[in-house]
Amino acid sequence: QLKLVNPSQYRFEHLVTQMKWRLQEGRGEAVYQIGVEDNGLLVGLSEEEMRASLKTLRRMAEKVGADITVLREREVDYDSDVPRKITEVLVRKVPDNQQFLDLRVAVLGNVDSGKSTLLGVLTQGELDNGRGRARLNLFRHLHEIQSGRTSSISFEILGFNSKGEVVNYSDSRTAEEICESSSKMITFIDLAGHHKYLKTTIFGLTSYCPDFAMLVVSANTGIAGTTREHLGLAMALKVPFFIVISKVDLCSKATVERTVKQLERILKQPGCNKLPLLVNSDDDAVTAAQQFAQSPNITPIFTLSSVSGENLDLLKVFLNVLPPLTNSKEQEELMQQLTEFQVDEIYTVPEVGTVVGGTLSSGICREGESLVVGPTDDGKFLRLKVCSIQRNRSACRVLRAGQAATLALGPFDRSLLRKGMVMVSPEMNPTICSVFEAEIVLLFHATTFRKGFQVTVHVGNVRQTAIVEKIHGKDKLRTGEKAVVRFRFIKHPEYLKIGAKLLFREGVTKGIGHVTDL
């Protein structure tokens, strides 16, 4: 917008309608640039005009029920004596009926690069003591606390309210309180860095469908161990990622620069084709967040410390401005399809019965709805009823496409369920198969890859061993070759979709591809 000084009533109504539409399009968020003409010419406004324009913008926001925060302002060098400014403002709507923006960020990186500690510091709001105190709240098992290594997938939440302030556990808030007072929630999926737990990490990346990935690299060791592998996984699954270089308090500036250069070199390689963007100021962080969502080729790099807290707020600014990947139109199209819920975890909760956790990939799910779950070992689907729904530990009536939640199923027998099943609406008539074909690329293999080979296949939340039945047009495959291969599941049929991304591994063999035929 160029300027919004004392608009007439009619123009004001028009502006408000426009703001409503923009907010709906951006799922509750919009960024206004004031002092910029419609064709993108940076004109700038004088002090008074800017003040009046911001006042009008506040009035508009109040009318729609939103809050505004000034992200940044900049002076424009124009041929005038009065300094002219342009301002960028974030408008965020207070969620009605608990429709907060929900972004899922997977956290990757080598063992001991400081992933859990960084999350502990972000979500608990206090700095680390240098010996890993901040991450103790994230660990789920005793052996993790003893060895300091994450082996399971844990979830942490970080909220931002409509003014852009961080809402976390710092004032001994509970998860429900964080959900109630946030208009934007970021769920961090803390994955394991150790090579031994690679299958857990792959499962986390394929089944929880993260919007973004955060690759943590420790400044003093640089790129080591599983870092390259995690980078490759993120690229294979086409998850846009940004990089955090941690532990900068431990080493000299030269070491940090060396790590940054090493990363930039890898990112610019022909295989990656990314454009590294080093973030040094709030201004950079805002630019990075906007560019990053528009073009996945840009990779922001942060250098920070969880102990001294250096540059930690730049990461918070970035996460606050980061827009969601899908706009509301795409989400509405998904919501009109039939219900489909992926089962990722299964628990038994006393007095509630069986509870499943996972993601609703399409449709809408309401309390009390009847669904069918399957496939069982003999390929059948069983009927069940959803008793109640919880999202981020607070009750929720309706679940919309793309949201993660846990569903209580009441007295349903737990032994009939397993990870990788789907819950769908009864009229869907889901496609299940035990033999499927996929177009694959072999990433790394010691010898040749041939018929009769057994590999573990990951497709979304499905994880099962399969046998290679046939390689079309070739006898065997070598590293880097492409082919269409027929696989057969060993144990039971699974629910697959054509076009789904596929990852397989077996020892040192790794490959990626997509399902072409069932």
Side-chain angles (χ1 to χ4, degrees):
Q1 301 282 352
L2 182 54
K3 51 183 168 184
L4 310 162
V5 184
N6 299 335
S8 63
Q9 190 58 34
Y10 173 73
R11 166 128 166 97
F12 183 71
E13 294 296 332
H14 171 74
L15 284 168
V16 169
T17 317
Q18 191 185 26
M19 182 183 267
K20 264 189 191 152
W21 191 80
R22 292 265 153 83
L23 284 171
Q24 195 182 347
E25 194 183 34
R27 287 167 76 173
E29 284 190 333
V31 174
Y32 273 73
Q33 290 168 337
I34 301 174
V36 181
E37 274 194 36
D38 286 350
N39 60 5
L41 186 68
L42 306 175
V43 185
L45 297 181
S46 67
E47 195 82 13
E48 281 161 39
E49 289 180 319
M50 184 56 84
R51 210 177 296 130
S53 298
L54 284 174
K55 194 175 154 194
T56 311
L57 199 62
R58 275 207 182 85
R59 259 176 61 208
M60 284 158 56
E62 265 168 32
K63 188 130 190 187
V64 212
D67 278 326
I68 71 172
T69 25
V70 177
L71 287 178
R72 52 181 173 173
E73 48 184 26
R74 222 184 243 169
E75 287 199 6
V76 191
D77 303 331
Y78 227 58
D79 310 334
S80 71
D81 316 331
V82 206
R84 289 175 161 286
K85 282 186 175 166
I86 43 176
T87 309
E88 208 167 55
V89 183
L90 177 70
V91 184
R92 185 176 284 165
K93 194 165 175 326
V94 185
D96 42 276
N97 71 20
Q98 283 308 300
Q99 267 307 301
F100 46 79
L101 269 169
D102 194 13
L103 292 185
R104 289 193 288 272
V105 180
V107 186
L108 297 166
N110 189 28
V111 63
D112 301 337
S113 62
K115 296 184 292 297
S116 302
T117 302
L118 174 63
L119 291 195
V121 170
L122 281 174
T123 57
Q124 308 295 332
E126 51 181 67
L127 295 173
D128 188 50
N129 60 359
R131 292 205 186 79
R133 190 175 91 208
R135 65 182 183 199
L136 289 178
N137 305 327
L138 299 181
F139 284 162
R140 290 170 56 170
H141 299 293
L142 181 64
H143 68 254
E144 295 181 329
I145 294 176
Q146 286 161 348
S147 69
R149 295 208 172 132
T150 311
S151 68
S152 58
I153 302 172
S154 65
F155 293 91
E156 282 309 311
I157 53 178
L158 177 67
F160 289 98
N161 61 16
S162 42
K163 295 191 178 65
E165 299 156 345
V166 175
V167 184
N168 57 16
Y169 292 113
S170 55
D171 307 328
S172 67
R173 289 191 190 93
T174 59
E176 291 87 8
E177 285 170 357
I178 295 181
C179 290
E180 273 162 25
S181 46
S182 310
S183 53
K184 177 175 194 173
M185 296 276 301
I186 294 185
T187 308
F188 288 107
I189 307 168
D190 189 17
L191 300 171
H194 201 277
H195 203 99
K196 183 166 114 185
Y197 306 121
L198 186 69
K199 73 169 193 185
T200 310
T201 305
I202 294 181
F203 181 74
L205 266 179
T206 50
S207 70
Y208 294 117
C209 325
D211 299 302
F212 303 105
M214 172 162 89
L215 185 70
V216 184
V217 179
S218 138
N220 50 3
T221 53
I223 296 177
T226 44
T227 309
R228 272 169 214 256
E229 221 159 298
H230 285 177
L231 192 69
L233 283 176
M235 292 197 49
L237 295 166
K238 296 191 172 59
V239 181
F241 60 91
F242 58 96
I243 294 178
V244 171
I245 296 178
S246 64
K247 307 192 183 182
V248 295
D249 56 303
L250 284 183
C251 42
S252 61
K253 267 206 170 121
T255 320
V256 178
E257 276 168 23
R258 199 176 71 219
T259 306
V260 172
K261 284 210 171 60
Q262 191 185 10
L263 272 168
E264 285 178 343
R265 200 165 59 239
I266 280 195
L267 290 172
K268 285 175 182 163
Q269 278 175 357
C272 275
N273 261 338
K274 301 280 184 200
L275 192 72
L277 176 68
L278 193 62
V279 177
N280 289 321
S281 64
D282 280 1
D283 211 30
D284 291 353
V286 175
T287 315
Q290 289 168 357
Q291 297 291 338
F292 180 54
Q294 284 159 11
S295 72
N297 288 353
I298 288 180
T299 303
I301 300 181
F302 296 86
T303 52
L304 54 83
S305 158
S306 306
V307 176
S308 65
E310 184 187 336
N311 288 352
L312 208 56
D313 40 348
L314 295 188
L315 183 59
K316 286 178 185 165
V317 169
F318 173 79
L319 291 168
N320 179 28
V321 184
L322 198 59
L325 277 179
T326 54
N327 52 24
S328 53
K329 197 164 129 219
E330 290 173 25
Q331 199 201 13
E332 269 166 23
E333 282 171 13
L334 272 176
M335 275 159 56
Q336 279 151 11
Q337 296 169 7
L338 292 168
T339 309
E340 180 189 320
F341 182 85
Q342 296 188 342
V343 178
D344 294 336
E345 307 218 35
I346 302 153
Y347 325 96
T348 307
V349 180
E351 293 178 15
V352 180
T354 306
V355 175
V356 292
T359 316
L360 190 69
S361 41
S362 65
I364 294 180
C365 178
R366 294 186 175 82
E367 280 186 5
E369 197 161 341
S370 294
L371 300 171
V372 293
V373 68
T376 54
D377 291 354
D378 48 4
K380 288 196 179 66
F381 277 77
L382 311 164
R383 301 188 74 90
L384 54 79
K385 192 177 163 198
V386 178
C387 299
S388 66
I389 304 175
Q390 275 202 346
R391 234 185 116 199
N392 274 338
R393 307 185 183 88
S394 49
C396 156
R397 295 258 169 274
V398 182
L399 190 59
R400 292 172 171 78
Q403 298 179 341
T406 49
L407 314 179
L409 307 178
F412 193 80
D413 182 10
R414 175 179 172 166
S415 59
L416 297 171
L417 296 170
R418 58 183 168 79
K419 280 186 190 180
M421 281 188 163
V422 283
M423 288 161 54
V424 291
S425 55
E427 64 260 33
M428 187 153 164
N429 196 10
T431 50
I432 55 169
C433 68
S434 45
V435 180
F436 67 97
E437 287 187 355
E439 186 179 311
I440 61 161
V441 180
L442 205 58
L443 292 183
F444 179 75
H445 187 34
T447 56
T448 52
F449 180 83
R450 54 164 63 100
K451 191 183 148 188
F453 213 78
Q454 287 195 6
V455 289
T456 308
V457 177
H458 295 260
V459 188
N461 61 345
V462 170
R463 169 168 77 177
Q464 208 195 139
T465 307
I467 294 184
V468 178
E469 282 208 331
K470 187 178 174 190
I471 302 176
H472 290 282
K474 290 181 183 164
D475 299 339
K476 53 195 181 194
L477 276 184
R478 294 184 183 281
T479 302
E481 291 188 334
K482 216 177 194 171
V484 176
V485 175
R486 184 184 298 165
F487 290 103
R488 175 187 290 277
F489 282 128
I490 276 191
K491 288 202 289 240
H492 33 243
E494 297 277 11
Y495 168 84
L496 295 180
K497 275 191 196 146
I498 289 182
K501 291 197 195 80
L502 165 138
L503 243 137
F504 61 86
R505 56 175 182 85
E506 198 283 309
V508 287
T509 312
K510 284 182 199 68
I512 56 171
H514 59 269
V515 179
T516 54
D517 190 24
L518 307 177

